[in-house]
Amino acid sequence: MISLDPAKARKHIDRIDRFRILVMGRANAGKTTILQRVCNTTDQPEIFNGEGEKVDATLVQGSLKRGEHNIEDELVFKSNRRFVFHDSRGFEAGSEGEFDMMKEFVMDRAKTMKLDKRIHAIWFCIPLNESHRMVTAAEKKFFDMCDTGHVPVIVLLTKTDALALDAFMELVDDGLNEVDAMERALEVEKRKLMECLIKVKGWLNKSRFPPHDYLSLTGMQEEGADCTTLLTCTANALNEGGLQQLLISTQQSNLGLCMEFAITK
């Protein structure tokens, strides 16, 4: 970690005034909810096309849910305009064309000389409410074929609340009454979450371009959920001090996060 030199931070912030993140993952992986929590809002984002022109959100929201929108679109929340998000198209549907379009976007935006257009991090969401297909062939294909260069990819295990019911039912099936099962469910849920994490790591670490890090997100369905762990993980994955400072600058109200990065390791 690095010390926050205000003068140096201002220099980088002036050069790149917004932190840009590509959010990936299949439809209904909880992507929009995470972005809302990071920006501390329940509002839907404003959407701008590649030329910076505002797009009619009512026309886009349905296609967002179906994974049919344009990856070039910029998603910006009024509550924190220092973030720009891109949401990958639903390439898990099996279309070679959509996969190639996503790959081209990643390659271009990871290396572009237009600093204000460069993506700084990738959050790859894998939901745990579909245990029968925790990691799909399309997701493995991304980590085998997409070299993101210096842009770190962080795998986020989402919808972990689905494990709570699994834990409870497992205990009931083992013969516990409902009261005792409720008391022990959290312990079993944590074990199941760790098992999922180990499985996902086992699959993806064998890839040609494995993720930089993994993080399980809990409680994201709760309004006002704390995203400090996610932001800290992202900041630590960045290989340029200026980008760390830029990311931290988006979180002026998060005193704990700012203090953590004000301490030199």
Side-chain angles (χ1 to χ4, degrees):
M1 295 181 191
I2 51 176
S3 60
L4 278 177
D5 178 343
K8 187 181 292 185
R10 177 53 52 198
K11 174 184 173 184
H12 285 286
I13 292 167
D14 287 343
R15 186 164 60 99
I16 313 170
D17 62 356
R18 300 189 299 174
F19 195 85
R20 192 178 293 267
I21 297 174
L22 171 61
V23 187
M24 304 190 66
R26 68 195 78 152
N28 299 315
K31 292 176 286 184
T32 302
T33 300
I34 292 170
L35 305 189
Q36 288 173 323
R37 298 299 174 259
V38 167
C39 293
N40 195 26
T41 184
T42 57
D43 294 338
Q44 292 296 318
E46 294 180 310
I47 301 169
F48 300 86
N49 62 23
E51 283 71 51
E53 300 166 338
K54 193 169 182 178
V55 178
D56 185 350
T58 58
L59 298 177
V60 179
Q61 288 307 324
S63 60
L64 278 174
K65 293 175 182 176
R66 295 189 300 271
E68 298 170 356
H69 62 290
N70 190 338
I71 193 171
E72 296 279 350
D73 286 345
E74 299 180 349
L75 281 60
V76 180
F77 291 89
K78 290 180 180 178
S79 59
N80 194 338
R81 295 185 179 277
R82 301 297 301 279
F83 276 114
V84 179
F85 299 106
H86 294 269
D87 190 352
S88 68
R89 294 175 65 110
F91 66 90
E92 79 276 3
S95 165
E96 195 72 26
E98 287 188 343
F99 182 89
D100 290 343
M101 194 179 302
M102 176 277 300
K103 182 179 178 182
E104 182 180 351
F105 175 87
V106 171
M107 300 299 191
D108 176 60
R109 293 300 190 97
K111 301 171 184 176
T112 179
M113 296 306 294
K114 296 179 180 178
L115 297 180
D116 61 326
K117 295 293 186 182
R118 187 177 295 180
I119 54 174
H120 303 125
I122 298 173
W123 291 343
F124 201 114
C125 299
I126 295 180
L128 297 186
N129 63 332
E130 300 180 37
S131 56
H132 61 288
R133 58 170 201 148
M134 205 179 302
V135 176
T136 66
E139 289 160 348
K140 290 180 182 177
K141 183 178 178 181
F142 170 82
F143 290 103
D144 278 330
M145 297 184 62
C146 291
D147 180 5
T148 63
H150 65 281
V151 180
V153 182
I154 300 171
V155 165
L156 306 179
L157 300 186
T158 64
K159 302 212 168 180
T160 58
D161 53 304
L163 298 178
L165 179 59
D166 290 346
F168 176 77
M169 294 307 299
E170 178 180 300
L171 291 167
V172 171
D173 290 344
D174 285 345
L176 269 68
N177 61 51
E178 291 190 1
V179 174
D180 290 340
M182 286 292 289
E183 288 182 356
R184 289 191 52 194
L186 182 59
E187 173 189 342
V188 176
E189 183 182 348
K190 288 180 179 178
R191 171 178 58 79
K192 285 183 170 292
L193 182 55
M194 183 56 65
E195 289 171 353
C196 289
L197 185 60
I198 291 170
K199 283 181 182 178
V200 172
K201 281 185 175 181
W203 289 321
L204 297 184
N205 280 348
K206 297 174 184 176
S207 306
R208 186 180 176 193
F209 306 109
H212 183 281
D213 209 346
Y214 300 82
L215 185 66
S216 55
L217 296 179
T218 57
M220 287 296 105
Q221 70 276 15
E222 301 294 332
E223 194 174 324
D226 186 9
C227 293
T228 300
T229 304
L230 171 57
L231 295 166
T232 300
C233 181
T234 304
N236 283 330
L238 299 168
N239 62 4
E240 182 183 328
L243 289 180
Q244 285 187 327
Q245 293 163 337
L246 176 63
L247 174 57
I248 301 308
S249 77
T250 67
Q251 299 295 306
Q252 299 289 354
S253 62
N254 191 332
L255 184 60
L257 184 67
C258 292
M259 286 181 67
E260 179 172 351
F261 279 84
I263 299 172
T264 305
K265 253 190 174 181

